[in-house]
Amino acid sequence: MDQSKLTEYWHKNLTYVVILLCIWGLVSYVLGIIFVKPLNAISIGGFPLGFWFANQGSEVIFVILIFVYVGLMSRLDRKYDVQE
Amino acid sequence: MSILTWTYIMVGITFSIYIVIAWRSRVATTAGFYVAGKGVPAIFNGMATAADWMSAASFISMAGLISFLGYTGSMYLMGWTGGYVLLALLLAPYLRKFGKFTVPDFVGDRYYSDTARVVALICAIFVSLTYVCGQMRGVGIVFSRFLEVQVHVGVIIGMAIVFIYAGLGGMKGITWTQVAQYCVLIVAYLIPAVAISVHLTGWPIPQIGYGAAISAVGPEQGKYLLDVLDVVNKDLGFAAYTSAFAAGQKSMLDVFMITFALMVGTAGLPHVIIRFYTVPNVKSARISAGYALFFIALLYTTAPAVAVFARYNMIDTLNDKPYKQAPSWFLNWQTTGLMAWVDKNGDGIIQYRPGDPFVGPPKFKEADGKIEHGKFGEPLVTNKLTDNQNELYVDRDIMVLANPEIAGLPNWVVGLVAAGGLAAALSTAAGLLLVIGSSIAHDLYYRMINPQASEALQLTIGRIMIFVAICVAGYFGVHPPAFVAQVVAFAFGLAASSFFPIIIMGVFWKRTTREGAIAGMIVGIVFTAAYIIHVKFMGAGFWFLGISAEGIGTVGMIFNFVVCYIVSLLTPPPPQDVQDMVESIRYPRGAEAAKAVH
């Protein structure tokens, strides 16, 4: 396979990684730590929102992020024919 | 049947299962011994990774820790799960494609240097040994609490069991026993949590239940559990449970730094990374990180619920109640030294307030080998009392250990919790011991001393090294050095400040040079270690921006990245074959070729 295709594959991979890591940082560090106090003013059910992001939300979203990455990369691997 | 009988039955059954699995998965090749023949399906690798990762501390202590910390405890929940996202996105697929056996393998080959290999090797052994001593101690404590044997007898039984399956089956034996151990520990954790959630809120899912309204009959019925707990905490003089960064709690910067250090440290721990070498291909490496985190999150999202239920139950049933009417589980657990009550004001009523009731863990007053009791029937302690109003001593481990009794569950559940605690401790210990054994036998002996060593000789050396490591860990389990609790900060700090940056740089920047990596690792480790030693052992304050020892790995990591980047730019680029190798690990195809090298 020619090098430019491979470079394109690698750059798409990096784009996915950067986007997903932004979400990773957003739910844990931004919503769960930096803005926890203002978010705690909002309640969902009995959970103050900031507290929920730190206590439960981040963990659940982390799991989803990994499976989204797996899905995106499987598609990308096939498209660029680099799969095993 | 009594709790003790049930405990023996549960522990006996689970241990027999582990030994049968170990016998069936014994190995005769180094690939089987170090990386389970690279044939573990992703979902099982996920379970094994989860069991490997969740230690006795996760199982027994974490919920209790969170229940005392409230919101601040979230740093452990986020920190110990978020690292898997980094693993899945930044490390696991590339290390699997690289396709050798250990972390020092990658560092040594990528940085074309035996010096780098040795630095990585020393870090891997130090981090793993630190960790494993704590696990053997955990095994001993579970044995002594539930089976009423001496701590050292418990440690020796644990050492023998681990040696049987780590020595016989290597990574393959460990992986399949860890799958069984995960099942045991998660069932043991969820049953009491679900039962308490139903009892208190009517929700069978604890993750939802702890934010729901209280359904149990009483004055608080219909109010949200977390709201009630906030009010109760404030009334007693604690910070509200869900509040952040209040007086007496950690600052925002500190919570941020600790969470980050734990995440990056997780992604840099050798016994976690090595698991991603065991799967058949790159795609499975990505997926198994996802499964691993899913299985970990099952426990890690239940823990904060257990923390809330336990704190509410404890305050509700004990605080401002006459000692004579205290529930039976409270009376039972006092004999273990995990709970105690001193009647400071002489009113016979239990007052729970902030602060320690007395100095240190309780030492009961004995005469003729019998514990002396006070006028309300409480065991008397000899500790020096503090001058606050708190009368109740509660060890954080009680929140999980006494859970089945607080919920009024049958005795077999108590036995199951003991088996679960042992499963958590043994599975982690085995994974760590394998890292130590393979680091010495593979990285030091085979790669550096005797590259001509036959398969059989390598296997024998690997088994001997595991045996030696078990003996060292067992010794420290029985005679814990005073600094055991403090060195845990070391394990994460060093993993964060040494491995993580140079593996990331090695994969994502071809220009990273040997000199850059070595300089980065050394600066990261020396800074982190010096700060931890200065703060923890020499009693200095948190002088660097008020960051605690647990969070300083984040700063060490940043230094490592910066130094590695600058030094790499100033030194000649890596040889072409190394750059080609970095290029090749970026594309999944051809993972089998790397395997054929060995």
Side-chain angles (χ1 to χ4, degrees), chain B residues 154-195:
Chain B
V155 170
I156 291 167
I157 298 172
M159 284 164 63
I161 298 280
V162 172
F163 183 69
I164 290 174
Y165 62 78
L168 261 185
M171 191 54 136
K172 194 175 168 200
I174 287 174
T175 302
W176 293 110
T177 40
Q178 280 171 339
V179 171
Q181 283 160 338
Y182 177 77
C183 299
V184 172
L185 77 87
I186 199 68
V187 169
Y189 205 83
L190 289 179
I191 289 179
V194 169

Side-chain angles (χ1 to χ4, degrees), chain B residues 23 30 76 81 90 152 163 193 222 229 275 302 355 424 427 430 440 456 464 471 485 513 573 593:
Chain B
W23 181 251
T30 51
Y76 295 113
T81 53
L90 301 175
H152 68 268
F163 183 69
L229 201 53
R275 295 234 51 106
T302 310
S427 57
I440 298 176
I464 293 171
C471 292
T513 66

Side-chain angles (χ1 to χ4, degrees), chain A residues 3 9-10 13 24 29 32-34 36-37 40 46 54-56 59 62 66 70 74 77 81-84, chain B residues 71 74 77-78 82 94 207 210-211 242 244 252 260 263 281-283 286-287 301 304 583 586-589:
Chain A
Q3 192 57 42
Y9 166 84
W10 181 244
N13 174 23
W24 166 85
Y29 294 100
I33 296 179
I34 296 174
V36 63
K37 282 191 164 183
N40 272 354
N55 239 234
Q56 298 263 294
E59 292 77 8
F62 291 160
I66 297 183
V70 170
S74 300
D77 286 353
D81 195 32
V82 294
Q83 81 277 26
E84 292 135 298
Chain B
Y71 162 81
S74 309
L77 297 167
M78 290 188 286
Y94 311 110
Q207 285 85 342
Y210 85 106
T242 59
M252 184 193 289
F260 202 85
M263 283 192 188
N281 53 42
V282 174
K283 194 177 168 192
R286 293 184 198 124
I287 299 176
T301 53
E583 179 76 18
R586 294 177 174 181
Y587 314 109
R589 175 164 288 177

Side-chain angles (χ1 to χ4, degrees), chain B residues 35 39 70 154 190 238 351 451 490:
Chain B
V35 290
L190 289 179
F238 298 91
Q351 269 98 21
F490 256 130

